[in-house]
Each structure stands twice: as structure tokens, then as C-alpha cells.
Amino acid sequence: MGQEIVQGETIAAIATAIVPQQGSVGIVRLSGAAAGAIAQTLFHAPGRQQWESHRILYGYVRDPRTQQTVDEALLLLMASPRSYTREDVVEFHCHGGIMAVQQVLQLCLAQGARLAQPGEFTLRAFLNGRLDLTQAESISELVGAQSPQAAQTALAGVQGKLTTPIRELRSACLDILAEVEARIDFEDDLPPLDEAAVVDQLAQVLQSVTAILATAHQGELLRDGLKVAIVGRPNVGKSSLLNAWSRSDRAIVTDLPGTTRDVVESQLVVGGIPIQVLDTAGIREASDQVEKMGIERSRSAAQSADLVLFTIDAQQGWTPADEQLYQLIRERPIILVINKQDLLESAASLGLPDRELPQVYTAAALNQGITDLETVILQVVEGDRLQASNVDITINQRQAAALTRARAALEQVQTTIADQLPLDFWTIDLRAAVHALGEVTGEEITESMLDEIFSRFCIGK
């Protein structure tokens, strides 16, 4: 996916999700020098409509070979440089579903356009200076956002709220580097370097880099969410807990042990964090082959979960079977959920083991204790750190890796200064810090890294 290929060809792709019998509108997008010519070949706009940039035309898409009408559509023209890619961009707004957009796309390809690669529209926007790399990645995160807060932080990235501080930090490092190199090259013509001022500047830059790095955890939570498994013996109320929490009847609830035979999933958002809740089959010794398969899947779900809600029956208290089950999952982060609290006579009768497990009391069948459960989950996940709902910007894994290298380089500069090594040694790590910060915004990036980043985008973006 080299720059020469990107700038030399007109690309086309379907830019909206395609689902049979769903979606009122489907969009086919073109970008490149031939986009306007292809649109004029395929689109018939009746009357005296003006073919002007940033004007929507009404008409019909026709096959130029047969003059057969393929769809009734709208056409949006966006001339360079006032477009997403800073190239000529055309969008056919067709009827939704599958056939209309597929036929229009095939007509575009027949007129010389090439099918876009994943993320190629956004890659062109980056290469043409429309976006920097943090903004481009934020667009992908905005498309994949699973919660309102995740969408807000992604939108902040699109608006450049991460770009600005990173560029300021890189500029500060470049200024320090220039001062140091000037003293090396023109030592006799310049006053001595103000070492104390340099040390102070480095400390400020390092502090800012560390503060941005601290958002990596919240960013991971907002993007990927949590996988939470509800685990316990049969008939302790796991399915009732799932239903009460998700406010739906996702799982069958009966008094019969072993009712849940497979893992039941539900998607929730708690404190701005997407949560995938897994209601697992009660784990016990079973003779039924289907139940055995469900129990094995439950064990697997518990082992892969980020957090386990270990549910026990308040009436029965902590039983030997609970202890056996606990030993299977004790390596995972656990919240002890004491369900059926409405039937509990006294806390002393529970016989809980002397373990420091976060606890919450619920009566899932009565929809009680769910708010307390969510509070405890957020406390366990985030501790005293900033709540995800209060985060303005966050960084992804790639950005965190680059910032970690920048921090290490800046710390090494501090060590070099403290050891009173020559100025030449200062420049080595200062350049490394500048390069790492440039990787975040894309000012220092290789073609292979771009391929890797944009290959994760959808084709129409």
C-alpha cells in the first residue's frame, strides 16, 4: 500500500454496512482524480441540476452499456481539497440492502476504479495531510465504539485533542536538542548552556508524557471492555442475576439444577465501560453428556474472563462444593455475590471463608442489589484511579508503546546529565525521544507500520 499507488489510482468501496432487507441507505464512495468523470458517466441528473462541489444531485444510476437504470439515488460531489481524502470524492447514496450498492460498485469498477483496500480512504487522508495518525486511529475507534463514553473519547481524538499535546512535547524536545547541538557545533560563539533550565524542561516533558501514558488503561477498558463471567453451583441464581442486570429474559430461570446448558451472553455498559456478561452453566459433577459439555464451557469461560462474579446461595451459605469451585477459579479477579439475600437469616450463618474477596449482596429474582454490584465492579476494576466516565483522551496500545520508548529515552537523558557525560551523549537519547513522539502522530513512521495500522480498518473507511 505505497504512497505512489494510493495517489495514482481512483478507488471505490461500499462505505456502509450491508445487511439483507435492512438499512434504508447504502453508500458507494469513490476517491481520486477520475471520481468525477466516473460519476458523470454513471449518473443521470434530470432537469437543470448543477454539477458543483458540495451539492447533492438527485437522479438515476445507469449502466452506460445498456442504459438500464440500476437505482434511483442521490449523488454527493466533493472536489479536492475540500473532502475527506483531499482528493475528488464522490458518493452514491443508494437504496439499502445488498443489490443496489453492489451493482453500483461493480459499475464504478468497470469504469476503471479499483476496489479500495481496508482503511485506504483514511490512509489517503493521512498521506495528504488531512489527518495525522492519532486522528486516523481515532476514526477507526469511533466506528467501533461500544459505549457513549468510548465514542466521546474517540471523537476527542478525531478533533486533535491528543495530537496537540504530543506535538507540543515533540517540539519541546526538538528545542532542547537544537540548543544542545548548537553548543556542540558553535561552542566558542555561544554562551554556556543553561543546564538547570534544560533539566527543568526535561522534567516537565517527562511529567506530561507520563500523564498521557496513564490513560492507556482507561483506553483499553473503553475500547475492549470487560469480559465478566457469572460462575457458581447450579441453582444459586446465576441466570436470575443475568436477567436482572440486563433487564431482559436472556436466560431460562427454573428451580431445576442444570437448566443452563451453555454460556449465555449479554452486552452491557457500566460506568462508560462495555461489559460482556457470560452466564455459565452451574459447575458440578454431571452424568448428562450435554450438561457435561456446558460445564466444560463454563470452566473455559471462567478461566478467560477478566472478572468472575462468584455467586453463592445465601440460604445454603458457603458449602464444600463452593470451596471446590473456588479453587478452580481463584487465580482470576473475583467478586463474591451472595444471592437470595431476602432469604438470609443472618450473615453469621453464611460461614464465609476468611478471604479478602469483595462482596455484594443481591436478590436477583427481586431485582435488588444490581446498583451495588455495578459499584463494586467499578471499584475492583479501577480502584482509586480516574473513572472511565471522566477521561477526556486515551491512548491505544501502539501509542502507549511509542510513548513508553519516549519516556525511557527522556529518563536516560536525565541520567546522562546527572552523570555529567558530554553533550554528544545527550543528543542520542533526545533524538530517540523525538523519534518516538513522532511515531505517535505519524511524523516518524514507516510504510510497513502504516500497512499494519490501516489493515485493521474496514474497507469503506
Side-chain angles (χ1 to χ4, degrees):
M1 191 187 293
Q3 183 171 351
E4 181 179 350
I5 295 177
V6 169
Q7 293 182 337
E9 298 176 291
T10 296
I11 57 173
I14 297 172
T16 48
I18 299 188
V19 182
Q21 300 179 338
Q22 295 186 31
S24 60
V25 177
I27 298 176
V28 176
R29 176 181 292 158
L30 294 95
S31 180
I38 292 174
Q40 288 187 321
T41 301
L42 300 180
F43 194 79
H44 171 67
R48 298 182 177 179
Q49 301 179 64
Q50 297 297 315
W51 285 73
E52 297 176 352
S53 180
H54 293 79
R55 178 185 292 271
I56 297 177
L57 305 179
Y58 161 78
Y60 304 91
V61 181
R62 290 177 175 172
D63 186 332
R65 296 170 300 173
T66 64
Q67 293 303 307
Q68 179 181 357
T69 297
V70 172
D71 193 20
E72 181 182 21
L74 298 176
L75 184 71
L76 176 58
L77 306 170
M78 291 169 281
S80 170
R82 296 173 57 208
S83 71
Y84 180 68
T85 61
R86 284 193 173 168
E87 301 174 336
D88 289 344
V89 171
V90 169
E91 290 183 352
F92 294 91
H93 291 234
C94 312
H95 286 92
I98 293 180
M99 291 312 302
V101 288
Q102 288 283 9
Q103 290 183 81
V104 172
L105 175 62
Q106 291 304 316
L107 289 176
C108 292
L109 299 180
Q111 292 302 308
R114 171 177 61 77
L115 184 64
Q117 300 177 42
E120 191 169 358
F121 289 96
T122 304
L123 175 60
R124 291 185 178 209
F126 166 72
L127 293 174
N128 292 328
R130 168 72 171 76
L131 305 168
D132 85 328
L133 200 51
T134 67
Q135 292 172 305
E137 290 176 301
S138 294
I139 287 173
S140 178
E141 291 164 7
L142 182 59
V143 172
Q146 301 179 56
S147 70
Q149 182 59 30
Q152 284 298 313
T153 55
L155 184 59
V158 174
Q159 294 172 337
K161 290 187 178 181
L162 178 59
T163 299
T164 300
I166 296 297
R167 283 185 171 167
E168 289 176 350
L169 294 173
R170 185 170 184 267
S171 178
C173 289
L174 283 169
D175 288 343
I176 297 172
L177 180 61
E179 285 284 332
V180 174
E181 289 183 331
R183 295 312 187 283
I184 296 174
D185 295 335
F186 308 102
E187 182 179 3
D188 297 333
D189 301 324
L190 295 173
L193 183 67
D194 188 344
E195 185 174 311
V198 171
V199 170
D200 184 60
Q201 286 178 285
L202 283 172
Q204 292 179 31
V205 172
L206 184 57
Q207 182 181 15
S208 297
V209 169
T210 301
I212 297 173
L213 265 172
T215 70
H217 174 70
Q218 282 80 14
E220 184 178 357
L221 285 176
L222 291 174
R223 277 183 292 273
D224 302 331
L226 285 176
K227 183 184 290 187
V228 177
I230 304 175
V231 174
R233 293 182 294 104
N235 214 32
V236 295
K238 299 185 300 297
S239 296
S240 295
L241 182 61
L242 173 67
N243 290 342
W245 197 7
S246 61
R247 296 176 179 82
S248 66
D249 295 330
R250 295 296 304 274
I252 299 173
V253 179
T254 73
D255 292 330
L256 300 175
T259 302
T260 302
R261 298 298 184 93
D262 205 347
V263 177
V264 181
E265 298 184 12
S266 187
Q267 302 292 332
L268 304 172
V269 177
V270 176
I273 300 173
I275 293 183
Q276 178 188 17
V277 187
L278 310 175
D279 171 26
T280 64
I283 299 179
R284 63 172 182 172
E285 292 297 326
S287 57
D288 181 88
Q289 184 62 32
V290 175
E291 186 178 357
K292 281 184 177 180
M293 293 173 63
I295 290 172
E296 186 55 40
R297 291 183 181 181
S298 296
R299 288 195 178 99
S300 177
Q303 292 298 326
S304 64
D306 300 307
L307 179 65
V308 174
L309 303 183
F310 185 31
T311 309
I312 69 170
D313 188 327
Q315 268 190 309
Q316 299 178 27
W318 188 274
T319 68
D322 290 319
E323 179 63 28
Q324 291 179 358
L325 179 51
Y326 171 77
Q327 294 301 322
L328 295 175
I329 62 173
R330 63 179 182 173
E331 300 300 325
R332 310 305 303 160
I334 295 173
I335 294 176
L336 181 61
V337 180
I338 303 163
N339 193 36
K340 306 181 185 179
Q341 66 165 343
D342 53 311
L343 304 177
L344 178 63
E345 295 182 0
S346 69
S349 65
L350 288 171
L352 298 179
D354 186 18
R355 297 190 179 97
E356 294 184 1
L357 295 178
Q359 298 178 10
V360 62
Y361 288 80
T362 64
L366 303 177
N367 293 321
Q368 295 178 1
I370 302 304
T371 300
D372 294 337
L373 175 62
E374 292 182 345
T375 299
V376 174
I377 288 174
L378 291 176
Q379 290 173 347
V380 169
V381 170
E382 302 189 51
D384 295 329
R385 284 173 289 191
L386 189 66
Q387 290 288 326
S389 57
N390 296 326
V391 175
D392 186 21
I393 61 171
T394 61
I395 57 174
N396 61 30
Q397 188 176 17
R398 183 197 70 83
Q399 295 160 356
L403 286 170
T404 299
R405 291 195 298 274
R407 180 174 63 183
L410 291 167
E411 290 173 343
Q412 185 57 48
V413 177
Q414 289 182 323
T415 301
T416 298
I417 296 174
D419 292 342
Q420 298 184 335
L421 294 177
L423 295 181
D424 302 75
F425 289 85
W426 299 22
T427 63
I428 296 172
D429 295 302
L430 278 170
R431 288 195 190 98
V434 168
H435 182 84
L437 291 168
E439 282 187 11
V440 177
T441 57
E443 292 163 288
E444 303 272 0
I445 200 76
T446 64
E447 186 173 316
S448 61
M449 291 176 68
L450 288 179
D451 285 343
E452 181 181 353
I453 292 168
F454 286 96
S455 66
R456 297 191 288 266
F457 281 50
C458 59
I459 290 179
K461 203 65 181 174

